[in-house]
Amino acid sequence: MNSSIGIIGHGITSQRAAAVLHTAGITPRITHVRNATELFDCKVVIMANGSPHALLVSSFVAQGVSVVSASDNLADVLALTDLDASAKNNNSVVVAGAACSPGMSGLLVRHMARAFESIDEVHTAVHGTGGPMCARQHHDSLGGISVGWHDGEWLQRPAGSGRELCWFPDPVGARDCYRFASPEPVLMQRMTPELHRITARVSATRRDRLTARLPMLRKPHAEGLEGALRVEVRGVRNGRRHVEIVGIVDRVATVAGVVAAHTAHALAHNNIAPGVHTLGELALPNADILDAVTNSGIELHQFVGTE
Amino acid sequence: MRFIRQVILAVSIAGMVAGVLRRRTKGVAATQQGGWQKVTPQR
């Protein structure tokens, strides 16, 4: 087996991930999903195509190939987490949800947690979409069921409900955000079991919510031009309640591609315990990945003030 | 006449849908005091 990195998908996220790897001196092998078996001899494969990923990931795992999945589909990510035993048996590492949200959000929570004695709440919100498949996922996720972690229980609520005005870094600013069918709470709870409350929201317009249960009315854009992520962590610092809010503003496909690429690079160059992981888990070199992500041009912004 | 009836019907339905959406979403409007500062992650 060689140390090469492969990428499945020819979309924008794939292109951004490839560009990052090129900068690091790695030339990834990029292929379409129908030719995925060509990458069975790679050490790590980035799945940057549209979901579902689980079936193909299980094939890679059976070959002992490590996989970085950028899927943000709830059912797909749940299926990926079910591959844990298989990954351990085949000495393979799978990182589920290595994109913007989930993905970058996990890295930020792990980083922000260092400012606390203990953390108990994480609330994330994301604005914008990457490529066309991401836009379809955004559309579908507003028409499903959202999950949230609340005092030790999984709460299911209709996606598109629970409006909250969330402030993102400029120039995005304030956006109405709603619950959506995101794997973020599942992965976040897996990463930090001590959390009491986890919510994930996405910005949406009234038209997005009204048409969420219908087929998309028009073809999605080639790329969402504006994107942002906001992560709010609550906990205890110096014996008192404390809140930290960190956000980023960049194209969602860029964030997803950069995070996926640096995660794959970390998998190829580190000895990580086999199994299914999520970004932010202690088993992964999160600080190294976050450093690499910021060095690739993703700027972190901290909210200072009161909301 | 038929066209006018259709327009009135469409406007009524749109109004009802908007009303339902507004009633269903009891959003919390947050006021922001402060701003965003660029930070560099420290090891």
Side-chain angles (χ1 to χ4, degrees), chain A residues 262-304:
Chain A
H262 286 301
T263 305
H265 189 265
L267 258 56
H269 295 90
N270 289 277
N271 193 16
I272 295 165
V276 177
H277 300 289
T278 181
L279 285 172
E281 269 184 30
L282 294 174
L284 296 175
N286 299 297
D288 293 341
I289 297 172
L290 184 61
D291 278 351
V293 167
T294 53
N295 288 337
S296 292
I298 308 290
E299 292 182 350
L300 307 188
H301 300 265
Q302 183 179 24
F303 182 76
V304 181

Side-chain angles (χ1 to χ4, degrees), chain A residues 191-271:
Chain A
M191 176 189 110
T192 320
E194 65 267 26
L195 290 174
H196 296 167
R197 294 184 184 186
I198 309 168
T199 62
R201 282 180 166 79
V202 67
S203 71
T205 62
R206 197 161 281 158
R207 190 185 65 193
D208 291 336
R209 296 166 60 223
L210 192 62
T211 61
R213 286 164 180 83
L214 305 172
M216 287 190 86
L217 296 179
R218 62 181 178 191
K219 196 176 164 188
H221 295 293
E223 183 181 6
L225 298 180
E226 196 180 53
L229 171 70
R230 165 204 159 95
V231 178
E232 179 175 335
V233 178
R234 299 180 185 186
V236 176
R237 181 160 89 174
N238 298 329
R240 301 174 65 179
R241 295 294 296 166
H242 183 68
V243 181
E244 291 270 342
I245 303 172
V246 171
I248 58 170
V249 174
D250 213 316
R251 295 184 181 202
V252 172
T254 301
V255 178
V258 168
V259 169
H262 286 301
T263 305
H265 189 265
L267 258 56
H269 295 90
N270 289 277
N271 193 16

